[in-house]
Amino acid sequence: YLRDEPPMDELDALKKKYDFIRTFDKEKPVYVNLFPNDADYSFIKTYDYDAYVEKYLQIGVPMLSYDNYCIKDEGKVLRERYFENLDLGMKKAAKYNVPCWTFVLSLAHGNYFNCDETTFRFQAWNGIAYGSAAIQYYTYQHSYTAWGTAILDKNFAKTEKYYYAQRLNAEI
C-alpha cells in the first residue's frame, strides 16, 4: 500500500516513491487507489479525470484501482457517473495492459448507506460485467463504530456482511 486517493498534484512524487520501492522489490504489487470520476476538485486537484487516470497509469503500476461507491442516500440514489467511471476505468486499464480492480462498499459512512446483500451483489456484478479483474471490499474491518458495521466488527467477529461476501465470492 502506497497511497489512497492521491490528488493530481501528488502523482509525480508518487512515481518517485514507486520507483524507489521497485529498486528493492520488483515482485510484490505496489497498491494505490484513486478517486472516482466525480471527486470534488478540492480533493482531486483537477477537472480532467481522464488525464488524472492517464498520468497515474504512466507511473507503471501493476493495476488500476479506484473507489466508486455507487449507491447513496439510503439506497435511493445511484451515483450519477457510476457507469461512466466503470467504462473509463476498464478502457484505461486495457490501454495500459493492467487489470482494473473495483470495490464493493460494505460500510455506511458519509452519505453512503448500510449495504445489504442485494447491494453487495449489484456492486460486484456491475464491476465484473465491465471487466473488473478483482473485487475489493471497503471495508473488511473497521473500528470506528459511528460508521456502521463492516464485514468484521471492531473485535474482528464476523457480521452478517461476512456471509454476504462469502456467498458472493463463491459465486464469482
Side-chain angles (χ1 to χ4, degrees), residues 18-30:
Y18 177 83
D19 290 343
F20 178 75
I21 291 168
R22 283 293 180 233
T23 63
F24 298 99
D25 187 345
K26 293 182 180 5
E27 300 300 317
K28 294 181 186 78
V30 178

Side-chain angles (χ1 to χ4, degrees), residues 9 16 23 25 32 37 47 56 73 87 111 130 135 166 170:
D9 60 2
K16 289 177 185 174
T23 63
D25 187 345
V32 176
N37 61 349
Y47 292 109
Y56 166 74
D73 301 326
D87 187 55
N111 64 344
Y130 272 84
I135 300 299
Q166 183 182 51

Side-chain angles (χ1 to χ4, degrees), residues 94-113:
K95 177 180 176 182
Y96 283 86
N97 198 31
V98 296
C100 187
W101 296 3
T102 55
F103 272 94
V104 168
L105 175 64
S106 69
L107 179 71
H109 68 286
N111 64 344
Y112 300 105
F113 78 114

Side-chain angles (χ1 to χ4, degrees), residues 69 102-106 119-120 123-124 135-139 168:
Y69 312 133
T102 55
F103 272 94
V104 168
L105 175 64
S106 69
T119 55
F120 266 53
Q123 295 171 86
I135 300 299
Q136 308 168 83
Y137 292 94
Y138 183 80
T139 186
L168 181 58

Side-chain angles (χ1 to χ4, degrees), residues 37-116:
N37 61 349
D38 63 355
D40 188 89
Y41 177 84
S42 64
F43 296 114
I44 198 169
K45 306 293 189 215
T46 184
Y47 292 109
D48 188 347
Y49 188 75
D50 188 272
Y52 171 68
V53 175
E54 193 79 26
K55 185 169 184 174
Y56 166 74
L57 287 167
Q58 289 170 359
I59 292 172
V61 293
M63 84 285 286
L64 171 60
S65 174
Y66 60 90
D67 50 48
N68 186 18
Y69 312 133
C70 62
I71 303 173
K72 306 186 298 186
D73 301 326
E74 295 303 315
K76 298 174 188 161
V77 177
L78 181 64
R79 197 174 201 151
E80 187 175 321
R81 298 176 61 201
Y82 172 69
F83 292 108
E84 178 186 323
N85 208 158
L86 284 170
D87 187 55
L88 180 117
M90 298 309 154
K91 286 177 179 172
K92 291 293 182 185
K95 177 180 176 182
Y96 283 86
N97 198 31
V98 296
C100 187
W101 296 3
T102 55
F103 272 94
V104 168
L105 175 64
S106 69
L107 179 71
H109 68 286
N111 64 344
Y112 300 105
F113 78 114
N114 190 23
C115 296
D116 59 16

